Amino acid sequence: MAQGIRILFFRCLSNWRGTKVKLFREALIILGIYLLGELLSKSLNLPIPGNILGMIILFILLCTKVIKVDNISTVTSFLLDHLSFFFIPAGVGLMASIGIIKSTWWQLLVVCISTTVIIIGVTGMIVQAISRSTKKKNI
């Protein structure tokens, strides 16, 4: 009986360590791609921020199946589950810039409304084009 408990304990421990190693490996993959984007942005003096380059690199690696979704699924699920926490610094930044916002609120409002209208219009046109092309393929 004691040996059975010991075997069960070590199996649970090995699964726990395996999960921790998997999380660490997935986090390293994401961090490495982010750092690569930052390095490219700084070294090539690109006007695109490094984190955006990192997302583009990750997208390309996922599309070409160099990185499989299963290789980063645990960390990405965690990050998506806690996404709201990443907006706290942006909210604090807005509160710190309230003076600038007060003086240019109407310009910000015009930009927000116009970009929203543009995005809705472009999205609608893309959806219509895709639905037309799928209808033609089905006929």
Side-chain angles (χ1 to χ4, degrees):
M1 171 120 178
Q3 187 171 358
I5 292 173
R6 190 178 311 135
I7 291 171
L8 182 63
F9 172 75
F10 284 116
R11 280 188 185 165
C12 289
L13 184 63
S14 67
N15 286 341
W16 177 77
R17 277 193 280 173
T19 303
K20 293 290 184 184
V21 170
K22 182 180 182 206
L23 284 171
F24 186 68
R25 183 180 61 239
E26 290 180 9
L28 280 178
I29 290 171
I30 299 291
L31 180 65
I33 292 171
Y34 163 74
L35 290 175
L36 179 64
E38 286 290 336
L39 178 74
L40 286 174
S41 177
K42 299 285 188 228
S43 63
L44 299 176
N45 291 326
L46 297 174
I48 303 170
N51 57 347
I52 303 298
L53 281 178
M55 284 193 285
I56 293 170
I57 293 168
L58 178 62
F59 178 72
I60 291 169
L61 291 174
L62 286 169
C63 286
T64 58
K65 298 195 186 322
V66 172
I67 294 178
K68 295 179 182 149
V69 175
D70 294 337
N71 293 344
I72 56 172
S73 63
T74 307
V75 166
T76 52
S77 295
F78 173 80
L79 292 173
L80 287 173
D81 289 343
H82 298 89
L83 188 63
S84 59
F85 291 115
F86 298 114
F87 287 99
I88 292 173
V92 171
L94 283 174
M95 291 180 354
S97 307
I98 197 72
I100 297 170
I101 293 171
K102 279 184 180 178
S103 64
T104 59
W105 68 271
W106 63 274
Q107 294 166 335
L108 292 171
L109 185 65
V110 168
V111 168
C112 287
I113 291 172
S114 61
T115 55
T116 301
V117 169
I118 291 169
I119 288 171
I120 290 172
V122 170
T123 303
M125 290 188 305
I126 290 172
V127 168
Q128 287 177 347
I130 291 173
S131 66
R132 278 190 223 122
S133 68
T134 55
K135 285 180 183 176
K136 287 179 183 177
K137 287 180 183 178
N138 290 337
I139 294 177

